[in-house]
Amino acid sequence: MAEETRTALDKERLRGLLAEILDVDVSQISDRARFVDDLGVDSLMALEITVRLEAEFPVKLAEEELTRLATLDDTYALLDAKLRAAS
């Protein structure tokens, strides 16, 4: 049960995690805010996002997948697909 709670994907939880990593207010992480263009994410921040997502959820993110993650919606969709495939 604890494992299920830890791995459950919730968009608001993901939004909060991204806001924490990027040190911005959660209101800045809209569903379609572009990480690079709107939030100023650079390669070091992208690496930190990857590390935290892999620590928070039981997923492994390939480099080619990371290049497609431009928004919260993109990130949610990828994580959701990976978590569903793993269950």
Side-chain angles (χ1 to χ4, degrees), residues 55-76:
E56 188 74 20
F57 303 101
V59 297
K60 195 71 172 154
L61 301 171
E63 188 173 336
E64 61 273 3
E65 292 171 322
L66 298 175
T67 60
R68 297 190 313 248
L69 299 182
T71 66
L72 173 66
D73 278 348
D74 296 340
T75 307
Y76 181 86

Side-chain angles (χ1 to χ4, degrees), residues 15-67:
R15 186 185 318 274
L17 180 64
L18 290 170
E20 180 184 318
I21 294 166
L22 300 176
D23 195 27
V24 298
D25 189 85
V26 73
S27 65
Q28 290 184 263
I29 311 288
S30 68
D31 290 355
R32 294 197 176 109
R34 301 194 62 76
F35 293 147
V36 174
D37 297 336
D38 300 328
L39 300 171
V41 172
D42 60 21
S43 59
L44 187 57
M45 288 177 185
L47 179 60
E48 176 65 17
I49 290 170
T50 302
V51 169
R52 291 285 300 275
L53 291 177
E54 289 180 342
E56 188 74 20
F57 303 101
V59 297
K60 195 71 172 154
L61 301 171
E63 188 173 336
E64 61 273 3
E65 292 171 322
L66 298 175
T67 60

